[in-house]
Amino acid sequence: MAEDVGLDELSAAAGVDRFRLNRAFRAAFGLSPHAYLVRLRLRAARRRLADGEAPALVAAEVGFADQSHLGRWFRRAYGMTPAAYRDLCTNVPD
């Protein structure tokens, strides 16, 4: 997940051209390979943020370029910043 695997590498591993791979992947999962990878990264980031980790560390660990890159994708997907999500998850009274 932390590696940035390109469509050319995936198509070579699958033994098909990248256009056929993209169509088959989209038919099977409903997303392009890149969108699927971003979703995996966001899901992992949410788990780590809920555990109280710092957004900058989470971004580096799950494969985003930096904290702002994570923030842009996180806001687009969930409507809040990673830090706001972390605070929401960790400030729950016991």
Side-chain angles (χ1 to χ4, degrees), residues 20-86:
R20 179 178 282 173
L21 173 71
N22 204 10
R23 284 191 302 270
F25 197 95
R26 191 177 297 271
F29 297 102
L31 298 167
S32 69
H34 182 261
Y36 187 81
L37 175 62
V38 169
R39 293 286 169 135
L40 287 177
R41 288 176 176 168
L42 286 170
R43 189 176 308 146
R46 265 191 10 192
R47 282 192 301 268
R48 295 179 80 139
L49 289 165
D51 289 339
E53 291 187 40
L57 177 63
V58 170
E61 292 293 320
V62 300
F64 287 101
D66 54 22
Q67 183 177 352
S68 65
H69 189 215
L70 168 64
R72 283 191 303 273
W73 279 105
F74 205 91
R75 273 191 304 277
R76 184 182 304 170
Y78 304 118
M80 65 177 62
T81 66
Y85 180 78
R86 182 191 61 192

